[in-house]
Amino acid sequence: MNYMPGTASLIQDIDKKHLVLLRDGRTLIGYLRSIDQFANLVLHQTVERIHVGKKYGDIPRGIFVVRGENVVLLGEIDLEKESDTPLQQVSIEEILEEQRVEQQARQESEKLKVQALKERGLSVPRADTLDEY
Amino acid sequence: QSLEDCPLDEDEDAFQALGEEDEDIDQFNDDTFGAGAVDDDWQEAHERLAELEDKPVATREQDGPSGEDSDLLGDPEDALAERLTRLVIDSELEDPAIMQAVQTRVPTQPGGLNSSIWDSSAVLRRIRGPLLTQEMPSVSVLDYALPQRPPQPREEERDPSERALPRRSSSPIIGSPPVRAVPIGTPPKQAAVPSFNQQILCPKPVHIRATLPQRYPTPYGERMSPNQLCNVPNSSLLGHPFPHSVSPVLTHLQRAQLLGGAQCLSASPQAGRMSPSQFARVSGLVGSPLPSVNPKLLQGRVGQMMPPASGFRAFFGAPPAPPPSQPQHPPGPGSHLQGLRPQPQIFRPDTTHLHPQHRRLLHQRQQQNRNQHRNLNGSLGDRGGHRGHQQERKDPYANLMLQREKDWVSKIQMMQLQSTDPYLDDYYYQNYFQKLEKLAAAEEMHGDGPRKERTKLITPQVAKLEQTYKPVQFEGSLGKLTVSSVNNPRKMIDAVVTSRSEDDETKEKQVRDKRRQTLVTIEKTYSLLLDVEDYERRYLLSLEGERPALMGERKQKICDMYDNLRGKAPGQERLSDDHFMQIMCIRKGKRLVARILPFLSPEQAADVLMATARNLPFLIKKDAQDEVLPCLLRPFSHVLYHLPLGTVTSLVQQLTNLPQSASAVAPTNVHLAAVLQNKFGLSLLFLVLSRGEELQSSDTNTELMQDNQWTELMLLATRELLRIPQAALAKPVSTPSNLISLFSRYVDQQKLNLLETKL
């Protein structure tokens, strides 16, 4: 039965595996079990996937209830093509380590940039305050 | 001192209430477990009650206050019964036992809906018996709210005030939806109808207001019990947009749709699902959608199905689906884990009046639905037959979201799609689908027939109602209440616009203000433009009498637009292009001009063209970043098509800035150079030249004067063109074919070849 053709209703997506991108940057993968009119989601057997470069790691999270407004986008995962990826899965510890390293590197470069700008008498507004706009 | 007194008083009252409550609870416990709990014969009891109904009030009143501790079946029951009858409860639908009883009483009649079940209160009162004896004395929904002592006087006190509460649909008192015990966002309750014992042990913690909703005349007749009113979140939601005063006029097509919809409805409810588009079709077109919606909601909860309501009855005599007697197991949370649903009965509605092909399709669809349902694959749907099956089997958590919950969500989503003017609310969606349909239709023309049935979402259309808001007034008060809410916003602050004085402003601010003014002008003109563009559609929709008025409006708006473009004050002569230039400097302004041009009269359009040509280098310079000028080419070429030679000549003059002053022997023609170096400029020049050539060649008897002018101009132009190096030339959008013939008139062969290579 075709629920609401031509619209973006999530009813057809229920009980299917989805990838959900949240506003804070997290990527969740889980089975979409329930929705409501605000697109609040109930994800089952959820896994938080962290990507660093060509590697990724999965952290099992269980059941997630996501408030609709925090979802950036979500899409159904094709189970056949799911394993067909050039990315390499690593352990949780490893990926967290990689993430930390990447974060550090980014902070370093940011610091250098700010320093350089300061020397030239310019300033860049802080990125986190612009986040919402 | 007064302040201190008040809290104390409140506390006293509270304590008193608590005390009373405690006594009630003691009594309830007593009734349940202690001496009061008598294993009585409910049939006798309800016979007695039936007699009681007919007794006069006076005798009952005597019995009322006395004998709280006496036999259950005695006086308190009478008092309660009498209280209940006054409350005019017409249906107790929660209890499956009652439903059973009701059904056994009323056999399904062929053809026509038998609503006698609901209409005869006598029947119901008799049925109420069992409920009363077991439920009422222990915990009645009222008693929870109203302490028993003193029962009657206080109740009478409340009755008139409660009864005075007006119908929700007629006066939105606060202007906003009524207070709900259960917030609108909550899904329908999963819990099955609890058994009586359960009810006694944990009385529903219902807000006091909600316990008396029997008094509210329900929007769709007294079919719902109070608890169900609470549990049906959309009862008020739907009540709002479909006020009783709306009586949609059904066209032939809509009626046919309704028929189709109803057939599908009555056919597939056993499958437990109803396509939301059918919901929409039916709900939108029938004046009271609630009856159509309710059965689906109640189905799961009550475990039965109500016959489709009067809305359907009015339009076709198809018999409703008889309530299938479903097994009594509560459709609670346990059921979905099993993943099984009780097999519904198969019901074949009367489809003899339908076209045979329609009937066939319908039955096919029914079959499909049934098969689908059997596979329980509704959610994993189209994913390839047997693989879906496998996954379904492996997935024990499937269908956690029940079908009715899905329906509920889709219902809300459909409601959000309602609109009184879809073209206004959802313009891009409408246009997109129109385009799709045109494509499909075009394909159909080539092919044999409709290749695939593309399901289309039919959104409910609500008739626009002019509802004048009348502010709430209390008698004896001075003035009106300023109550503002979402539906009738009121001004809170008087914001006064203060214009700055000229002295304070700096040059920068002036410039900024001017730009702002231009932007405002552009926006205003844009809205005029959108209106004008919309007139065609309105024309088609309007009646004959209205059309001249529409045309007049349209003309007026076009004039306004032109005035806006060229700078207002129609009295004065338009000396400066300044206003126009300001608009043209802004990207949106250029696009605006491009869109307006088709609507302008030839003179007006020519005027615009001239202004553009005159100031083209300036515009080119300003456009360097945006590069929007080429969008003007197409409308310009259309305009050129209608221009006479004279205008074209002057256009070329403007464009090339020729002839220049005689003193300048061989200066660089900056104007022309700029034009030629810009894509737009060159293309425009070519267009103009080509048009000129067209006119020349086509019209054999042109005026000599004009001819001379043109010829002179062309000679100069070609000389310039020859002079300019090829590298400097821009790439035009299109090179008209007749340019060569144009130039051949004025230059010799050598130079012609040179020109050819250049261009």
Side-chain angles (χ1 to χ4, degrees):
Chain A
M1 177 161 55
N2 203 358
Y3 273 99
M4 301 181 69
T7 64
S9 169
L10 287 171
I11 297 178
Q12 303 275 64
D13 288 349
I14 286 191
D15 289 335
K16 295 183 183 156
K17 197 167 190 186
H18 278 74
L19 184 144
V20 181
L21 185 66
L22 301 180
R23 264 167 51 178
D24 61 357
R26 277 188 280 186
T27 310
L28 299 178
I29 296 175
Y31 289 90
L32 184 63
R33 290 298 175 198
S34 187
I35 56 157
D36 71 353
Q37 69 266 39
F38 308 109
N40 294 333
L41 315 170
V42 172
L43 295 171
H44 181 228
Q45 293 169 353
T46 319
V47 141
E48 181 182 335
R49 187 162 288 185
I50 302 178
H51 287 270
V52 178
K54 286 265 183 187
K55 301 187 191 157
Y56 70 90
D58 286 345
I59 307 173
R61 294 286 192 189
I63 299 179
F64 249 83
V65 174
V66 182
R67 190 179 163 96
E69 62 170 341
N70 294 303
V71 174
V72 171
L73 53 87
L74 66 100
E76 189 187 332
I77 291 179
D78 189 338
L79 295 166
E80 292 166 7
K81 298 184 183 165
E82 195 182 1
S83 38
D84 188 19
T85 165
L87 303 173
Q88 178 204 4
Q89 179 162 23
V90 297
S91 69
I92 298 177
E93 297 82 23
E94 198 181 326
I95 199 70
L96 286 173
E97 178 61 29
E98 294 261 355
Q99 198 185 34
R100 195 185 58 79
V101 165
E102 191 193 42
Q103 192 68 359
Q104 232 175 0
R106 208 185 299 157
Q107 274 178 352
E108 288 290 327
S109 69
E110 190 64 36
K111 230 194 321 186
L112 287 174
K113 255 194 267 181
V114 168
Q115 184 70 19
L117 283 171
K118 233 200 302 192
E119 282 168 13
R120 286 161 180 73
L122 304 163
S123 72
V124 183
R126 283 169 50 133
D128 42 314
T129 56
L130 295 176
D131 193 36
E132 292 295 316
Y133 298 96
Chain B
Q1 200 197 4
S2 59
L3 279 171
E4 279 176 81
D5 280 339
C6 293
L8 278 176
D9 289 343
E10 281 177 330
D11 284 342
E12 279 179 30
D13 284 349
F15 286 135
Q16 219 176 14
L18 276 176
E20 283 175 335
E21 244 185 322
D22 282 339
E23 292 169 26
D24 290 343
I25 290 175
D26 287 340
Q27 208 231 313
F28 300 154
N29 285 331
D30 190 49
D31 292 340
T32 318
F33 305 108
V38 177
D39 192 20
D40 46 279
D41 185 1
W42 63 268
Q43 272 174 328
E44 277 181 31
H46 99 248
E47 295 288 2
R48 218 177 302 176
L49 278 173
E51 294 161 22
L52 282 178
E53 309 298 325
D54 309 321
K55 272 198 202 162
V57 180
T59 50
R60 269 183 253 146
E61 272 190 335
Q62 287 172 15
D63 298 330
S66 64
E68 301 293 357
D69 307 316
S70 60
D71 185 21
L72 262 184
L73 302 175
D75 303 317
E77 208 181 284
D78 297 350
L80 286 161
E82 174 259 317
R83 251 182 273 157
L84 282 168
T85 56
R86 258 197 264 144
L87 292 173
V88 193
I89 306 168
D90 277 348
S91 67
E92 299 286 350
L93 296 179
E94 302 186 291
D95 188 6
I98 298 180
M99 294 298 286
Q100 288 275 13
V102 165
Q103 274 144 45
T104 51
R105 278 183 172 280
V106 185
T108 46
Q109 295 178 5
L113 176 61
N114 180 23
S115 66
S116 61
I117 309 168
W118 318 121
D119 290 345
S120 66
S121 45
V123 170
L124 277 174
R125 266 186 233 138
R126 258 172 267 139
I127 295 163
R128 226 183 294 142
L131 198 63
L132 283 173
T133 49
Q134 290 174 30
E135 194 185 357
M136 287 314 153
S138 34
V139 173
S140 84
V141 149
L142 336 153
D143 282 351
Y144 197 74
L146 308 169
Q148 265 175 325
R149 293 185 218 97
Q152 265 140 325
R154 210 201 278 193
E155 215 196 315
E156 282 173 0
E157 217 175 83
R158 288 197 189 186
D159 278 348
S161 66
E162 295 300 344
R163 286 219 185 100
L165 217 56
R167 279 182 84 90
R168 230 194 73 245
S169 54
S170 62
S171 80
I173 288 189
I174 309 293
S176 46
V179 173
R180 304 196 52 84
V182 178
I184 287 177
T186 52
K189 281 186 93 166
Q190 283 239 24
V193 175
S195 66
F196 285 137
N197 286 333
Q198 223 180 340
Q199 230 173 8
I200 290 164
L201 287 173
C202 34
K204 290 207 187 88
V206 184
H207 182 245
I208 285 182
R209 243 180 103 121
T211 61
L212 309 170
Q214 303 98 313
R215 306 189 196 265
Y216 282 79
T218 57
Y220 33 90
E222 295 94 25
R223 293 205 184 140
M224 299 279 280
S225 84
N227 284 322
Q228 280 168 336
L229 255 185
C230 293
N231 294 339
V232 175
N234 57 0
S235 59
S236 74
L237 284 176
L238 285 176
H240 251 305
F242 300 93
H244 295 264
S245 46
V246 176
S247 54
V249 177
L250 289 183
T251 64
H252 169 72
L253 184 64
Q254 286 168 331
R255 202 164 280 145
Q257 277 180 337
L258 245 182
L259 264 169
Q263 289 303 328
C264 295
L265 247 172
S266 47
S268 60
Q270 302 83 346
R273 295 169 298 178
M274 199 168 105
S275 115
S277 52
Q278 284 163 355
F279 261 139
R281 247 187 282 162
V282 173
S283 359
L285 297 173
V286 178
S288 51
L290 300 161
S292 69
V293 155
N294 276 328
K296 309 297 156 272
L297 281 173
L298 296 174
Q299 182 183 354
R301 204 171 305 119
V302 180
Q304 316 274 349
M305 213 179 68
M306 277 171 66
S310 59
F312 290 118
R313 189 174 15 139
F315 293 105
F316 27 78
S325 51
Q326 299 217 355
Q328 276 306 304
H329 82 275
S335 63
H336 57 260
L337 285 177
Q338 300 161 18
L340 274 174
R341 222 165 286 167
Q343 214 31 256
Q345 282 182 355
I346 292 172
F347 170 69
R348 262 183 198 257
D350 177 21
T351 51
T352 46
H353 58 281
L354 294 177
H355 189 272
Q357 193 178 27
H358 185 180
R359 205 187 314 153
R360 209 181 332 126
L361 279 171
L362 205 63
H363 292 329
Q364 264 179 27
R365 216 180 294 161
Q366 278 180 44
Q367 203 63 38
Q368 245 181 358
N369 281 346
R370 258 177 253 130
N371 289 338
Q372 271 192 349
H373 196 67
R374 225 164 269 143
N375 295 339
L376 304 159
N377 215 359
S379 48
L380 280 187
D382 312 313
R383 212 116 221 247
H386 85 282
R387 200 160 51 78
H389 253 297
Q390 280 178 359
Q391 287 182 338
E392 187 57 78
R393 270 186 236 125
K394 283 185 200 157
D395 188 4
Y397 295 96
N399 294 326
L400 270 171
M401 194 174 183
L402 296 179
Q403 190 54 46
R404 66 156 185 271
E405 285 164 357
K406 291 182 195 171
D407 291 340
W408 176 79
V409 172
S410 73
K411 201 179 301 142
I412 292 181
Q413 291 174 332
M414 289 299 285
M415 275 182 44
Q416 291 169 340
L417 293 179
Q418 274 169 20
S419 93
T420 51
D421 186 3
Y423 258 95
L424 189 68
D425 297 331
D426 219 354
Y427 175 76
Y428 295 101
Y429 182 86
Q430 299 289 333
N431 271 39
Y432 173 66
F433 266 91
Q434 272 183 357
K435 269 191 233 170
L436 273 184
E437 275 175 12
K438 275 189 207 150
L439 271 174
E443 266 179 39
E444 268 178 56
M445 296 292 279
H446 298 313
D448 312 302
R451 284 196 213 137
K452 55 172 174 171
E453 257 188 61
R454 208 175 290 162
T455 43
K456 185 186 171 195
L457 185 66
I458 300 171
T459 48
Q461 299 223 324
V462 187
K464 218 191 291 193
L465 261 198
E466 282 301 315
Q467 287 192 338
T468 49
Y469 167 73
K470 273 193 289 214
V472 178
Q473 262 185 315
F474 288 123
E475 286 175 9
S477 69
L478 295 167
K480 299 187 174 108
L481 277 181
T482 26
V483 181
S484 84
S485 75
V486 160
N487 296 328
N488 49 296
R490 286 284 167 269
K491 209 167 160 187
M492 291 293 287
I493 304 172
D494 257 325
V496 179
V497 178
T498 50
S499 53
R500 279 187 251 106
S501 65
E502 292 292 321
D503 321 330
D504 302 344
E505 280 181 14
T506 62
K507 186 80 169 57
E508 248 180 51
K509 282 191 189 172
Q510 275 178 349
V511 166
R512 210 192 318 149
D513 277 347
K514 199 169 187 188
R515 192 180 167 84
R516 279 197 195 142
Q517 265 178 349
T518 320
L519 289 171
V520 169
T521 315
I522 291 179
E523 288 308 320
K524 284 194 199 149
T525 320
Y526 234 111
S527 9
L528 285 173
L529 173 67
L530 289 173
D531 275 337
V532 169
E533 283 181 349
D534 208 32
Y535 268 105
E536 195 184 303
R537 185 183 66 86
R538 283 175 65 181
Y539 213 75
L540 293 170
L541 293 173
S542 69
L543 311 165
E544 273 304 316
E546 298 172 352
R547 289 189 181 180
L550 282 177
M551 286 301 287
E553 272 177 40
R554 186 174 176 272
K555 276 210 186 84
Q556 180 56 37
K557 291 204 172 154
I558 294 176
C559 283
D560 289 337
M561 284 198 299
Y562 183 67
D563 286 337
N564 279 349
L565 268 188
R566 295 294 271 134
K568 272 224 178 133
Q572 83 184 146
E573 251 188 67
R574 290 202 181 86
L575 294 168
S576 76
D577 290 335
D578 194 36
H579 193 94
F580 182 65
M581 280 305 112
Q582 290 293 320
I583 293 180
M584 287 294 271
C585 287
I586 298 171
R587 208 181 325 168
K588 195 167 181 181
K590 289 184 265 237
R591 292 239 172 80
L592 175 67
V593 171
R595 263 174 96 162
I596 286 185
L597 272 173
F599 294 104
L600 295 176
S601 72
E603 302 84 34
Q604 290 172 328
D607 197 20
V608 168
L609 248 182
M610 293 288 273
T612 318
R614 218 173 306 152
N615 302 287
L616 200 47
F618 177 68
L619 284 177
I620 287 171
K621 191 176 71 171
K622 287 283 176 170
D623 193 46
Q625 202 179 31
D626 298 330
E627 297 189 21
V628 180
L629 275 175
C631 77
L632 287 164
L633 272 176
R634 185 182 286 260
F636 275 175
S637 63
H638 281 296
V639 173
L640 275 172
Y641 206 69
H642 301 286
L643 289 183
L645 186 59
T647 331
V648 177
T649 320
S650 33
L651 253 178
V652 178
Q653 229 172 359
Q654 299 288 348
L655 270 176
T656 55
N657 202 15
L658 300 163
Q660 287 184 305
S661 51
S663 56
V665 175
T668 42
N669 187 342
V670 185
H671 187 117
L672 184 57
V675 168
L676 291 174
Q677 280 172 356
N678 176 262
K679 185 166 156 178
F680 171 72
L682 190 58
S683 320
L684 185 60
L685 183 62
F686 281 177
L687 279 173
V688 178
L689 289 175
S690 134
R691 172 68 182 156
E693 171 62 15
E694 239 179 76
L695 284 170
Q696 275 263 306
S697 49
S698 59
D699 235 352
T700 47
N701 34 328
T702 50
E703 284 182 25
L704 216 57
M705 269 298 292
Q706 283 192 336
D707 218 328
N708 273 344
Q709 222 177 4
W710 177 255
T711 321
E712 270 180 45
L713 209 53
M714 285 322 297
L715 286 167
L716 289 166
T718 44
R719 203 186 315 148
E720 287 299 324
L721 276 171
L722 284 166
R723 223 191 306 167
I724 285 176
Q726 191 169 0
L729 282 178
K731 205 167 183 309
V733 172
S734 61
T735 317
S737 46
N738 51 4
L739 277 183
I740 301 302
S741 56
L742 170 72
F743 291 130
S744 64
R745 285 182 212 238
Y746 309 107
V747 289
D748 54 17
Q749 194 58 35
Q750 242 184 351
K751 296 202 181 125
L752 190 62
N753 292 336
L754 211 66
L755 270 174
E756 248 181 295
T757 50
K758 262 198 190 168
L759 304 167

